[in-house]
Amino acid sequence: MTDPVFDPELLSRCISCGFCLPACPTYAETGDEASSPRGRINLMRALQDGNLDPYDPTLQEQSSQCLGCRACEPVCPAGVEYGQLLEQWRDHQWKGRRQPLLARALMLAARMRLVFRPLGTLRRAAAGEPPVGRTDVPPVSLMLGCFERVLFPEVSRAARKLLPGLTVPAAQGCCGALHAHNGDTATGERLARRLAADLPGTILTTSGGCAAHLSSVLGADRVREISTHLADHGATGELRVDGRRAKVALQDSCHLRNGLGVWQEPRDLIGQVADYVELPSAATCCGAAGTYSLLRPRESRRILDARIREIEAAGVDYVAAVNPGCLRQLRTGLRRARSRVKAVHITELLAQAADHRPR
């Protein structure tokens, strides 16, 4: 007898009530039951029970089409942990040659810490120990991220500016979130534990997706996303544009909001330094979804284009992100639309406000 693909207890929780349907971006886009969480769970059950060929094209398509945003989880009355089921599904569907080639290449690159370390240094990502002070205070270590330290080094610099007591070990590697979301959960968990050994004390991350993954492996008491940490201290200064208080919107990180329940803290912080403007779809996926924007660019762009139109209609000066993938996605869309709105990470926004100077 072959081992089951899914944890039977997790799979049995779904009662097919349909509360997940309005929350699912792909169901809203297609109107296809198979493209909803309920429909995908029915496919999972068919696979588990042997009623579908393990490599049926529908299974492959739907495991890939799902954004993995987990918006179905907060609205589910039965407490279905869809994110875990999706990871188990991709572990099965994306084996060997069936794993998307681009995802495989990105996962391989993410593990090359000997490459990312000098590139991060070249890009002037934050590094170093905190100022000499009390030794009885538990350390807080800033996680640089694999791609983030190279693509967005200004984020770690802003975090260090806001929290000068952080320690930032330069030799740290990938947290494994990329692997867990792309069919290699075992490697994802192994990398998370290795990172935990590299970073002393509390791990502070500027990535919502990484925070959710690390919390699932290491426990929520070991990991903090930066907006929750900064909320304990409050924000200072004011962000101004053309002599007035700036207008700022937020794009939620799906995994941060739906996986960890963190959404109010970044809004409160923005409201302390600027006029916060809530976007109608701020809580829904922007289409970045980790590697999704690269693996399924057409679907991703449709979602993004609608979000950019919404941002433009809101008349804001900035849109803040709490995840590097969302930041890249928003900057791409705003640049393509030739928009005057600037996409920034929330740490950059707060560091800029603390300087009391507009840019």
Side-chain angles (χ1 to χ4, degrees), residues 248-252 267 276-286 302-319 330 333-334 337 339-341:
V248 183
L250 176 75
Q251 171 60 53
D252 277 305
R267 287 165 169 78
Y276 177 68
V277 178
E278 180 75 14
L279 297 174
S281 301
T284 61
C285 187
C286 65
R302 281 199 296 269
I303 295 170
L304 175 61
D305 287 348
R307 185 60 42 81
I308 297 302
R309 289 193 293 270
E310 200 173 86
I311 291 170
E312 286 283 280
V316 296
D317 303 296
Y318 295 90
V319 56
L330 292 170
L334 291 169
S339 173
R340 66 170 186 81
V341 180

Side-chain angles (χ1 to χ4, degrees), residues 146-260:
C146 43
F147 293 103
E148 183 180 343
R149 77 179 76 178
V150 178
L151 297 176
F152 306 115
E154 62 275 11
V155 173
S156 61
R157 293 198 298 266
R160 189 75 183 276
K161 183 175 183 178
L162 292 167
L163 298 164
L166 295 175
T167 182
V168 192
Q172 59 182 280
C174 176
C175 76
L178 181 67
H179 303 75
H181 299 157
N182 286 277
D184 192 357
T185 302
T187 299
E189 293 178 354
R190 186 165 60 252
L191 289 173
R193 294 190 179 95
R194 183 178 180 183
L195 183 70
D198 290 340
L199 301 182
T202 299
I203 299 173
L204 188 68
T205 173
T206 51
S207 168
C210 297
H213 170 67
L214 285 170
S215 295
S216 70
V217 178
L218 307 176
D221 58 338
R222 182 74 202 278
V223 183
R224 294 202 83 183
E225 184 272 332
I226 196 163
S227 69
T228 64
H229 193 73
L230 290 171
D232 294 341
H233 304 267
T236 60
E238 186 178 49
L239 194 64
R240 301 186 69 80
V241 173
D242 298 331
R244 58 172 172 78
R245 194 171 168 91
K247 297 179 180 179
V248 183
L250 176 75
Q251 171 60 53
D252 277 305
S253 158
C254 294
H255 282 85
L256 187 63
R257 182 180 181 114
N258 302 321
L260 294 180

Side-chain angles (χ1 to χ4, degrees), residues 67-214:
L67 287 153
C69 67
R70 298 171 63 177
C72 49
E73 291 188 21
V75 300
C76 178
V80 173
E81 297 178 53
Y82 182 85
Q84 285 193 48
L85 289 171
L86 179 63
E87 289 181 2
Q88 292 171 9
W89 196 10
R90 288 181 175 171
D91 278 354
H92 177 269
Q93 296 296 140
W94 291 7
K95 286 180 181 176
R97 293 182 180 179
R98 293 183 178 87
Q99 189 175 59
L101 184 60
L102 180 56
R104 199 184 317 165
L106 289 170
M107 288 189 287
L108 179 62
R111 297 177 64 180
M112 295 179 178
R113 61 168 64 197
L114 293 179
V115 174
F116 279 103
R117 181 177 179 179
L119 285 176
T121 301
L122 185 66
R123 294 277 285 156
R124 297 187 300 113
E129 297 295 323
V132 177
R134 290 174 55 186
T135 58
D136 60 334
V137 178
V140 178
S141 298
L142 180 64
M143 191 195 90
L144 292 172
C146 43
F147 293 103
E148 183 180 343
R149 77 179 76 178
V150 178
L151 297 176
F152 306 115
E154 62 275 11
V155 173
S156 61
R157 293 198 298 266
R160 189 75 183 276
K161 183 175 183 178
L162 292 167
L163 298 164
L166 295 175
T167 182
V168 192
Q172 59 182 280
C174 176
C175 76
L178 181 67
H179 303 75
H181 299 157
N182 286 277
D184 192 357
T185 302
T187 299
E189 293 178 354
R190 186 165 60 252
L191 289 173
R193 294 190 179 95
R194 183 178 180 183
L195 183 70
D198 290 340
L199 301 182
T202 299
I203 299 173
L204 188 68
T205 173
T206 51
S207 168
C210 297
H213 170 67
L214 285 170

Side-chain angles (χ1 to χ4, degrees), residues 31-94:
D32 181 2
E33 172 76 15
S35 297
S36 71
R38 180 175 68 181
R40 291 185 177 114
I41 287 175
N42 283 334
L43 289 172
M44 294 178 197
R45 286 171 169 164
L47 170 62
Q48 183 94 326
D49 296 340
N51 295 325
L52 269 180
D53 182 272
Y55 298 106
D56 183 283
T58 303
L59 293 175
Q60 197 75 1
E61 168 65 11
Q62 289 302 329
S63 65
S64 171
Q65 188 198 50
C66 179
L67 287 153
C69 67
R70 298 171 63 177
C72 49
E73 291 188 21
V75 300
C76 178
V80 173
E81 297 178 53
Y82 182 85
Q84 285 193 48
L85 289 171
L86 179 63
E87 289 181 2
Q88 292 171 9
W89 196 10
R90 288 181 175 171
D91 278 354
H92 177 269
Q93 296 296 140
W94 291 7

